[in-house]
Amino acid sequence: MTRIALCQIPVSPDPSANLKRVREALAKAEGADLAIFPEATLTRYGSRITDLAEPLDGPFVSGVAQAAREHGLAVIAGVFEPGSGRVHNTAVAIDAHGSVKAAYRKIHLFDSFGAKESELVAPGAEPTVVELAGLRVGLITCYDVRFPELARALVDQGAELFAVIAAWGSGPLKEDHWTTLVRARALENTTWTAAVGQAPNPAESSDGFGVGRSMLVDPLGVVRADLGTNPGIQVVEVDPEVTAAARTALPCLEHRVLGIKRS
């Protein structure tokens, strides 16, 4: 069993306020092996991200790493890294010793529903699986979840858990899209999926980011936990025996014809 803390926090434009929230959340995640925070935990989306982006050895990630080490658990969180003109929207993975183990730079940028993420963010190119808390974790960021080929590439790299981090935008049907897509990625790959979104932040509600609805979904697409819309921390369990049973009953990964991976 791996115990995972779903850390559904509101996000402020102020990185220092967000680091404080991360520290407070980790203190509440007692018994967890891995804590997952939302996309853009460093700072709320907006034109300010180009000024507030930090390298992975900057004060925000260093502060998260110190807190991970103090509490003895691994952490995944969303940050912005400086780039050439544009930033990278990065999911950083930190182990329980406070070492950065991986940085996944979001591949699919949210140029939809009137938004234009690519004006501020440069896309990444590499699907990323990282060993954390005894699991091989495939990293997925927000709009990425709409692209099943990314999740399939991660499973082909040995992912045992998908960590989906998001600052999901509100709007008609958007919450329904989120829950449907997260369940679909879990079910079609018979893979545990921990999806963590920003909680709504009433002080910043005009931008529409953050619907909550962080979830743990099992390999048959069953929602094992749903945090609703309020801020909260919930520790859940991922059981590899459930994955094995699901893949025995539903061996769809073995039945693939197009793009199948054979040993």
Side-chain angles (χ1 to χ4, degrees):
M1 293 276 195
T2 301
R3 292 171 60 81
I4 297 173
L6 308 177
C7 298
Q8 181 169 288
I9 63 170
V11 174
S12 161
D14 178 6
S16 63
N18 296 326
L19 181 57
K20 181 181 178 184
R21 285 181 176 140
V22 168
R23 290 182 179 279
E24 291 170 347
L26 293 181
K28 295 175 182 177
E30 185 177 352
D33 305 298
L34 168 64
I36 304 176
F37 289 87
E39 176 188 25
T41 298
L42 168 69
T43 182
R44 202 165 181 84
Y45 261 107
S47 59
R48 72 185 78 83
I49 66 175
T50 55
D51 296 324
L52 295 177
E54 296 182 7
L56 297 182
D57 59 357
F60 186 83
V61 172
S62 296
V64 174
Q66 180 184 1
R69 186 166 56 250
E70 288 171 357
H71 292 283
L73 76 172
V75 175
I76 295 169
V79 300
F80 296 106
E81 291 181 273
S84 180
R86 295 182 290 173
V87 301
H88 286 292
N89 183 345
T90 300
V92 63
I94 299 166
D95 70 13
H97 302 292
S99 298
V100 174
K101 303 301 290 184
Y104 165 66
R105 296 170 180 94
K106 185 178 181 182
I107 293 172
H108 302 97
L109 302 183
F110 185 56
D111 288 0
S112 299
F113 293 104
K116 194 76 172 176
E117 186 177 13
S118 64
E119 290 181 348
L120 298 173
V121 178
E126 296 296 328
T128 301
V129 175
V130 58
E131 189 94 28
L132 281 182
L135 288 175
R136 289 183 58 78
V137 182
L139 303 176
I140 297 173
T141 300
C142 204
Y143 192 51
D144 280 333
V145 79
R146 293 185 182 271
F147 299 87
E149 54 269 37
L150 175 59
R152 186 54 55 85
L154 296 171
V155 121
D156 285 340
Q157 291 180 28
E160 300 165 303
L161 168 77
F162 298 141
V164 183
I165 64 172
W168 203 257
S170 60
L173 296 177
K174 291 296 297 302
E175 189 173 323
D176 185 59
H177 289 188
W178 165 253
T179 58
T180 301
L181 289 161
V182 169
R183 292 185 66 195
R185 297 297 82 84
L187 175 57
E188 70 197 3
N189 294 289
T190 51
T191 299
W192 284 100
T193 301
V196 177
Q198 289 185 16
N201 185 343
E204 303 291 339
S205 59
S206 61
D207 63 21
F209 292 118
V211 300
R213 298 302 304 274
S214 300
M215 295 186 292
L216 178 72
V217 182
D218 76 17
L220 289 178
V222 177
V223 177
R224 297 292 189 98
D226 184 333
L227 273 65
T229 58
N230 292 326
I233 315 299
Q234 185 169 344
V235 178
V236 296
E237 290 185 341
V238 167
D239 184 350
E241 292 187 5
V242 173
T243 304
R247 291 180 178 179
T248 297
L250 179 62
C252 57
L253 293 176
E254 295 177 22
H255 292 165
R256 286 184 291 164
V257 175
L258 297 178
I260 191 165
K261 297 289 182 179
R262 299 187 185 275
S263 57

